[in-house]
Amino acid sequence: MDFLNKITSTILRAIGKEAEGTAQAPSMDTAQPDVADLPQDTEAQRIVREICAQAIEAAQGNWKVHLSASARWQALKDEPEALQIEVMLAAIPRRNKGAACYTGHVWQVQELRRAIVGQTLRRKLSFPESALAAVLSAWHDQAYSLDYGLPGRSILGAVEALASERPLGSPITQLLRAIRHRAEQPSYPGQRPNKAMVHIIERIDALLNPGTVRGPALPKGAFADRFIDHTVSLTPQMRDAWVALGILCAEAADKAKPSNKWLAKASDLIQPLQDMGLSAKIQEWLDSTVPDPTAVDDSLDILKGLIWASTTLPHDEMAGTLGRFAETSFRKVPSWGARSVKLGNAALWALSNMAGSTMAGHPHAAAELFRLREKIKYPSARKVLDGRLAELAQHSGQTLEAMEDQTLPDFGLDGESALRLACGASHAEVTVLANETLCQWFNAVGKPVKAPPAEVKADHKEALAAARQAIKTIEAARAAQVVRLEQSWIEERVWTFAEWQVSFFNHPLRRPIIEALLWSVGDKVVLPRDGQLQDVHGAVVAPAPDTTVSLWHPLHSTPAVVLTWRQRIMDLGLTQPIKQAHREIYVVTDAELQTATYSNRFAAHILRQHQFRALCQARGWRYDLIGGWDNWNMPTKVLPKQDITVEYLVEVVDDGQRSDAWVALHLASDQVRFLDRHQQAIALDQLRPVLFSEVMRDVDLFVAVTSVANDPGWTDGGPEGRHGGYWREWAFGELGQSASTRRELISWLRPKLSIADKLEITDKFLIVTGKRQSYAIHFGSSNIQIRPSNRYLCIVPDRPPAEAQGIKLPFAGDGLLSTILAKAFLLVDEDKIKDQTILRQL
């Protein structure tokens, strides 16, 4: 009883009996629990106190309380209507002119009082106008927005019930107009009423104008305007069919996924529109719509519904478009977050639904989900993707990896990895290569042309749009396969030769990639050539079906074998989609054996934070920007198969530069460490060598690309010159592993260049002899010094000379290598330079 007495005491304070002397704390709103004008000690007031006390006692200290836990509330349902209505009026939370009083259980009391009002209004009682007027008045006056606090939907429902019996009196209609006016008022200049406010306005309009027949309508907004514009030129019958579909789609607003009933209605409405270009139109809208979180368009709910409805359309046409739209929707806008989580989730739901129903026949949707798992970095979307793919794998009875191997469609490509796309009498020929997807257009007489012919653009717009979408989808799938194969080193992927031959070597999209890479087949290293596997000397290797196959890594062979394969790759003129034969390798050093559980190899660097974050996300690391708020975090890479988490410690540069949004522009780097499932540091020499090497390669890439040593703006050492020593040391200092590899490759390339006699290779620099003077280009940073004074020369090449562009490199993706060669060609003929910024420095 002591506990109940304490609660009762709190309740008394909450509703005004003992308001004086209560401790005060900040409130979330100004609606007050204690008011002087409430009836004191009436039967209704005592019932409210008793209901609240019982509900709070039943909660046993839990924050959430329920009216149903109160025996007095349950009994009230069987008592006279007049008493129930009196209790509801006594429970109304009112505004108080005094200070906020939120102590003890008072917040729970407020929620219970609102619940009493809402649940009473939903009962079939004969509410007098005066009672409803009192509730409307309290709703209008509350400090909360109209869609919070008192239950507006229940209030309007009770008023609508009264209006169905007799005309509303003046007090109620005046209050409804006042509430409508408040619903229209923006919280800030330029704000439009949100959906909840629009719903309130529409219901009040129906009450104030009972003779007006109002049916469902399309929401207003930019997308709705585009939707309506599409229907203008249609027949009335087809226009009505489109509008009916749009209205149904707009019902998708507040739902996480469609019901079977909704999908059935959508399917019925879609049928007559199938021959009206529905699929192509939805794809066009998806490809041309970029959600803007800074200017919300409520009518995009129509597009959300169209995305759901698209699951009844041909999957091989829709999957790629849905995937691209999901990628766009989850792309972040600075200071705002994802463009549209709602639309992105709708696209993921549609792809998941398609994948579940088409796994055996047309697996485009499943392949798109796997691609998005590597591309989308938004945490909630990644969680949804991982969960759905795990469900699909379990349903198929395969491992996730095996399912991914087998669900990649061929996209209509033939045995030569080519596809012909007809557009009227003209056509396009698409060819998948290891590093890109090419498209060559041919006119009606079969002559190659640079772009789609004019007659295609004029008379075959839908076919042209479909062709362009197909090319985008194929290229996205090709790029995703390259990323996946590179990850196979850390994931320790191994196939039997029979599996690999079916899923990889004979797959028309994967084959060009496979033929540019080296493979460990049993104890041999081979390169696929002309439909066969060849060793480094060109001899054919014929493995047994159960021989193991994996992507070859330089750590798997001796340095002599690696060098031989490098020469073979360059002699064949191959450009590997993954830096493989020339890949940097990282082994545990003596210094790292001394530190044992962490590496300082990439510590003490100054990194540009925004570029660093982008590169982290591209390489599968988790990292968010560190700003001027309490959001410190650490770059991490999770390796689920090994139950290992990698951490690269960074922190904001003290008193460093900040953006306008108060985000730190630069970070200082520290140690790299590997943690087990218990968050305990792992000794570096206990890690698998390839895993250690690949992780350290990532970190080396972070430093090489984002270090301020590559930033000409930091020649003075940045803010107050504090980091001048660092800039000079790393801009022209000792070479790291990637820079050393770059030096070796340029050494091999030099004899093949037309300017070979003007170039010299030293330990750290490519020396270029120009017509005026000579220059030293650093292999690590690509920074230039004018010799012999070693004066810094800042050049940012706009476009490499034609000869530099035509150099065939043995791997893709090293931008600094291309930059160094471009600067070399430029400086050999520096007398032809016209850029005044460069000339002033010379």
Side-chain angles (χ1 to χ4, degrees):
M1 290 300 294
D2 288 344
F3 179 69
L4 183 57
N5 290 335
K6 290 180 180 178
I7 293 176
T8 303
S9 178
T10 300
I11 304 304
L12 291 172
R13 289 198 301 273
I15 57 178
K17 188 67 176 179
E18 298 176 8
E20 293 183 3
T22 338
Q24 296 182 358
S27 163
M28 294 178 62
D29 75 11
T30 58
Q32 300 306 317
D34 50 332
V35 292
D37 59 343
L38 273 176
Q40 302 296 314
D41 293 327
T42 64
E43 182 181 6
Q45 190 72 10
R46 288 194 297 272
I47 291 173
V48 171
R49 295 172 186 167
E50 188 176 354
I51 290 170
C52 293
Q54 289 177 351
I56 293 173
E57 181 183 22
Q60 295 182 341
N62 292 327
W63 180 253
K64 188 69 176 174
V65 290
H66 301 277
L67 274 182
S68 58
S70 168
R72 187 66 188 89
W73 169 252
Q74 299 291 356
L76 184 64
K77 298 176 183 178
D78 300 322
E79 298 190 42
E81 286 190 9
L83 180 60
Q84 295 183 51
I85 294 170
E86 283 185 43
V87 170
M88 178 196 72
L89 294 174
I92 295 174
R94 312 262 182 172
R95 292 187 75 163
N96 186 0
K97 298 177 182 178
C101 176
Y102 276 76
T103 61
H105 302 279
V106 173
W107 177 257
Q108 294 170 312
V109 171
Q110 287 289 78
E111 291 302 304
L112 287 167
R113 290 167 67 172
R114 293 187 184 108
I116 290 171
V117 175
Q119 293 190 32
T120 303
L121 286 169
R122 288 195 289 273
R123 295 176 183 170
K124 296 186 181 300
L125 304 178
S126 299
F127 294 100
E129 288 201 26
S130 58
L132 294 181
V135 178
L136 286 168
S137 178
W139 186 31
H140 174 271
D141 291 342
Q142 69 177 16
Y144 281 109
S145 171
L146 290 175
D147 49 343
Y148 293 98
L150 282 169
R153 292 191 178 190
S154 299
I155 296 171
L156 290 176
V159 176
E160 287 164 348
L162 179 64
S164 68
E165 298 175 358
R166 60 179 185 273
L168 299 176
S170 176
I172 286 186
T173 56
Q174 288 181 18
L175 284 164
L176 288 173
R177 289 190 181 94
I179 292 170
R180 188 191 189 285
H181 177 74
R182 182 176 174 188
E184 288 184 315
Q185 300 310 302
S187 299
Y188 51 86
Q191 183 197 27
R192 295 170 53 196
N194 62 25
K195 290 176 192 168
M197 296 299 106
V198 170
H199 184 67
I200 289 170
I201 291 169
E202 289 175 347
R203 290 181 70 175
I204 291 177
D205 285 344
L207 286 166
L208 295 174
N209 303 283
T212 304
V213 178
R214 296 178 182 272
L218 292 173
K220 298 184 183 300
F223 183 81
D225 293 341
R226 293 172 62 194
F227 186 88
I228 293 170
D229 287 345
H230 169 66
T231 68
V232 169
S233 60
L234 302 178
T235 65
Q237 182 180 3
M238 295 311 300
R239 186 184 309 123
D240 290 345
W242 275 94
V243 172
L245 176 61
I247 290 171
L248 177 69
C249 288
E251 294 178 7
D254 300 318
K255 299 179 177 66
K257 61 181 181 180
S259 63
N260 291 333
K261 181 179 178 181
W262 188 95
L263 288 171
K265 290 173 66 176
S267 180
D268 291 341
L269 291 173
I270 279 175
Q271 292 305 318
L273 301 177
Q274 289 279 35
D275 296 332
M276 296 292 296
L278 175 65
S279 179
K281 196 62 188 178
I282 293 176
Q283 292 180 68
E284 177 192 327
W285 282 331
L286 288 172
D287 278 334
S288 61
T289 299
V290 180
D292 184 358
T294 68
V296 177
D297 179 5
D298 292 337
S299 67
L300 281 174
D301 288 333
I302 301 171
L303 185 60
K304 178 183 174 183
L306 289 172
I307 290 170
W308 286 351
S310 70
T311 57
T312 63
L313 299 172
H315 297 176
D316 53 351
E317 294 180 9
M318 291 299 307
T321 306
L322 286 169
R324 290 193 297 274
F325 185 71
E327 198 174 335
T328 298
S329 297
F330 286 113
R331 194 165 291 134
K332 288 188 175 182
V333 175
S335 304
W336 285 87
R339 288 193 170 276
S340 177
V341 173
K342 178 171 65 175
L343 292 173
N345 282 338
L348 293 184
W349 179 89
L351 286 170
S352 298
N353 183 278
M354 291 177 176
S357 62
T358 62
M359 288 288 294
H362 302 281
H364 291 72
E368 198 63 23
L369 287 173
F370 279 113
R371 185 187 73 82
L372 291 173
R373 186 178 61 163
E374 306 304 329
K375 292 292 292 184
I376 293 177
K377 308 304 178 185
Y378 202 75
S380 66
R382 289 294 300 269
K383 186 176 180 180
V384 170
L385 278 166
D386 289 343
R388 187 55 179 147
L389 286 171
E391 290 176 11
L392 292 172
Q394 185 177 11
H395 184 263
S396 68
Q398 306 174 82
T399 64
L400 196 61
E401 292 82 4
M403 188 181 77
E404 186 174 6
D405 290 346
Q406 297 171 23
T407 56
L408 182 68
D410 61 20
F411 299 100
L413 298 166
D414 61 21
E416 301 299 320
S417 302
L419 173 65
R420 180 187 173 103
L421 298 171
C423 292
S426 304
H427 71 278
E429 292 184 2
V430 180
T431 306
V432 178
L433 304 179
N435 294 284
E436 61 182 331
T437 300
L438 298 179
C439 177
Q440 175 63 62
W441 281 94
F442 296 84
N443 62 18
V445 297
K447 180 181 177 181
V449 291
K450 291 183 178 180
E455 59 96 8
V456 171
K457 295 179 180 178
D459 302 329
H460 303 282
K461 293 180 180 179
E462 290 187 5
L464 176 59
R468 286 171 168 166
Q469 288 167 358
I471 295 166
K472 285 181 183 179
T473 300
I474 290 170
E475 170 55 21
R478 183 208 64 80
Q481 291 305 304
V482 173
V483 172
R484 181 178 178 239
L485 284 171
E486 188 172 21
Q487 291 175 339
S488 71
W489 280 317
I490 287 182
E491 294 173 356
E492 304 176 55
R493 293 295 310 278
V494 176
W495 302 267
T496 66
F497 177 70
E499 293 170 338
W500 178 82
Q501 193 171 30
V502 171
S503 296
F504 289 86
F505 192 46
N506 293 337
H507 194 287
L509 185 133
R510 288 180 175 133
R511 184 162 183 163
I513 303 169
I514 300 308
E515 290 182 332
L517 296 172
L518 300 171
W519 297 87
S520 294
V521 180
D523 59 353
K524 299 182 181 297
V525 182
V526 301
L527 177 68
R529 297 284 295 170
D530 302 322
Q532 299 174 321
L533 304 183
Q534 300 178 3
D535 67 13
V536 72
H537 304 295
V540 175
V541 176
D546 60 349
T547 305
T548 59
V549 179
S550 62
L551 187 63
W552 175 80
H553 193 282
L555 274 173
H556 294 156
S557 300
T558 64
V561 170
V562 173
L563 290 173
T564 306
W565 272 113
R566 286 184 180 179
Q567 189 63 49
R568 174 74 169 156
I569 293 294
M570 291 188 286
D571 289 345
L572 291 172
L574 290 179
T575 298
Q576 294 191 292
I578 299 169
K579 194 175 185 182
Q580 186 187 29
H582 292 80
R583 199 170 192 82
E584 304 84 4
I585 59 175
Y586 302 80
V587 297
V588 179
T589 63
D590 290 341
E592 288 162 342
L593 290 174
Q594 291 295 319
T595 56
T597 58
Y598 62 90
S599 169
N600 280 325
R601 192 185 306 200
F602 300 108
H605 288 277
I606 308 299
L607 312 177
R608 290 166 286 188
Q609 181 174 203
H610 289 80
Q611 291 173 296
F612 176 74
R613 174 179 176 267
L615 197 52
C616 278
Q617 293 185 337
R619 299 297 299 176
W621 290 63
R622 297 176 183 172
Y623 178 68
D624 288 321
L625 293 174
I626 303 176
W629 54 91
D630 185 16
N631 72 328
W632 180 88
N633 68 103
M634 187 184 305
T636 59
K637 186 178 183 72
V638 179
L639 310 177
K641 188 166 185 177
Q642 296 86 1
D643 272 334
I644 291 175
T645 300
V646 188
E647 295 181 340
Y648 184 27
L649 277 65
V650 297
E651 61 183 4
V652 172
V653 172
D654 290 339
D655 300 323
Q657 294 170 296
R658 305 272 181 168
S659 70
D660 292 340
W662 202 241
V663 175
L665 297 185
H666 300 99
L667 303 171
S669 68
D670 204 331
Q671 59 186 241
V672 178
R673 58 189 180 189
F674 297 74
L675 308 177
D676 62 19
R677 69 176 68 182
H678 305 296
Q679 296 300 294
Q680 299 298 311
I682 303 172
L684 301 183
D685 60 356
Q686 298 301 308
L687 295 166
R688 192 168 59 88
V690 169
L691 185 150
F692 176 81
S693 181
E694 286 301 301
V695 170
M696 298 303 279
R697 183 178 183 273
D698 272 358
V699 182
D700 192 0
L701 181 67
F702 298 158
V703 172
V705 173
T706 71
S707 171
V708 297
N710 299 328
D711 184 355
W714 270 55
T715 54
D716 60 354
E720 301 177 3
R722 288 177 298 153
H723 304 288
Y726 167 77
W727 192 92
R728 287 185 292 274
E729 178 183 355
W730 289 101
F732 301 105
E734 297 301 320
L735 302 186
Q737 190 64 45
S738 59
S740 297
T741 302
R742 201 173 294 125
R743 177 188 181 279
E744 293 173 13
L745 185 56
I746 291 177
S747 297
W748 177 83
L749 283 171
R750 184 174 66 99
K752 305 176 185 298
L753 302 177
S754 61
I755 59 172
D757 60 327
K758 306 294 184 182
L759 304 179
E760 178 187 351
I761 308 292
T762 66
D763 287 346
K764 297 187 293 184
F765 298 97
L766 174 64
I767 307 300
V768 180
T769 302
K771 291 185 171 59
R772 298 180 179 179
Q773 47 205 342
S774 64
Y775 310 89
I777 308 176
H778 191 257
F779 289 117
S781 64
S782 83
N783 286 329
I784 306 169
Q785 289 178 330
I786 301 175
R787 293 162 58 93
S789 63
N790 292 338
R791 181 163 50 89
Y792 176 69
L793 172 62
C794 178
I795 293 180
V796 181
D798 180 20
R799 185 172 57 185
E803 188 172 356
Q805 288 180 315
I807 297 173
K808 188 129 179 119
L809 300 177
F811 53 82
D814 190 341
L816 278 178
L817 175 60
S818 301
T819 298
I820 290 171
L821 293 174
K823 289 180 177 180
F825 276 95
L826 183 69
L827 292 171
V828 162
D829 294 319
E830 85 268 49
D831 59 327
K832 298 179 181 179
I833 295 175
K834 297 181 180 180
D835 188 299
Q836 292 300 313
T837 303
I838 298 175
L839 291 176
R840 281 194 294 270
Q841 297 178 78
L842 295 176

